[in-house]
Amino acid sequence: MGRRRRTVRSAASRVFAVLIGVVLLAGVLTAVLLALDAQRSAQAEAERETRSVSETLAATPGVRSALQSSAREATAALQPFSLQVTRNTGVDFITIMTASGIRVTHPDPAQIGKHYIGSIPAVPVTVTEQYTGTLGPSIRTIAPVTADGRVVGWVATGVTVQSIGGALLPACRSRSASLSQ
């Protein structure tokens, strides 16, 4: 009779271990899927935000006017403006440049006057991309600034991948906390 109990306990232990394994695997898979969904959502939001800021600034008469003056005058007018908009919108950078891609604004003033690192479309269209520039990998949108049917400059707005990842951690923590309650 003693032997039968061991067999029953052993079978029950095995079933319990399998159930624990299934629950743990389901938990890990759920966490991975939630993290991937959060990453995809954060990237989509970064794309929407950078597009909105770039297109709004590109359509601003003051930006258009400043880009039609000398590079020095454009920097004097636009650098404080772009830094203020960067702070107010929560993006990581705004770079305004001439039609040929020479920066007239940048969060790092040492980069002003240098050529923009990133894609500049051959035609005046708005483009969003992931690219590694002077501030690291980022999601960025570049929009044309036009006057009288010609491109007079470009506005690039970006959010670094590091910022997107940093925003995910609190979101993942709050989702985990709400799931455990």
Side-chain angles (χ1 to χ4, degrees):
M1 187 125 165
R3 199 168 230 200
R4 228 172 184 199
R5 278 190 171 168
R6 280 189 193 166
T7 306
V8 171
R9 283 186 198 162
S10 180
S13 296
R14 285 188 215 140
V15 169
F16 182 71
V18 168
L19 288 175
I20 292 295
V22 168
V23 168
L24 288 174
L25 180 62
V28 168
L29 287 174
T30 301
V32 167
L33 290 174
L34 286 173
L36 289 173
D37 182 54
Q39 181 182 15
R40 201 172 13 259
S41 294
Q43 184 167 343
E45 179 59 29
E47 289 173 3
R48 281 189 296 276
E49 186 175 2
T50 60
R51 183 183 255 326
S52 176
V53 172
S54 284
E55 289 179 339
T56 300
L57 290 176
T60 304
V63 172
R64 184 181 309 117
S65 175
L67 284 170
Q68 291 176 312
S69 62
S70 73
R72 185 173 299 233
E73 291 170 339
T75 296
L78 296 175
Q79 178 71 359
F81 174 68
S82 68
L83 292 174
Q84 183 64 44
V85 172
T86 300
R87 282 189 294 275
N88 291 343
T89 59
V91 297
D92 291 319
F93 67 87
I94 296 170
T95 300
I96 302 173
M97 64 206 88
T98 65
S100 62
I102 302 302
R103 299 179 185 122
V104 296
T105 74
H106 194 276
D108 175 3
Q111 298 297 321
I112 295 173
K114 296 180 180 177
H115 201 273
Y116 172 72
I117 299 173
S119 300
I120 296 178
V123 294
V125 295
T126 300
V127 174
T128 300
E129 66 181 351
Q130 185 166 348
Y131 197 89
T132 301
T134 59
L135 301 175
S138 64
I139 302 293
R140 56 178 60 189
T141 299
I142 183 167
V145 180
T146 59
D148 302 321
R150 65 184 178 83
V151 175
V152 296
W154 298 92
V155 176
T157 303
V159 177
T160 63
V161 171
Q162 183 178 6
S163 292
I164 295 169
L168 286 178
L169 289 176
C172 289
R173 286 186 189 133
S174 68
R175 281 187 185 178
S176 295
S178 66
L179 290 175
S180 64
Q181 292 178 354

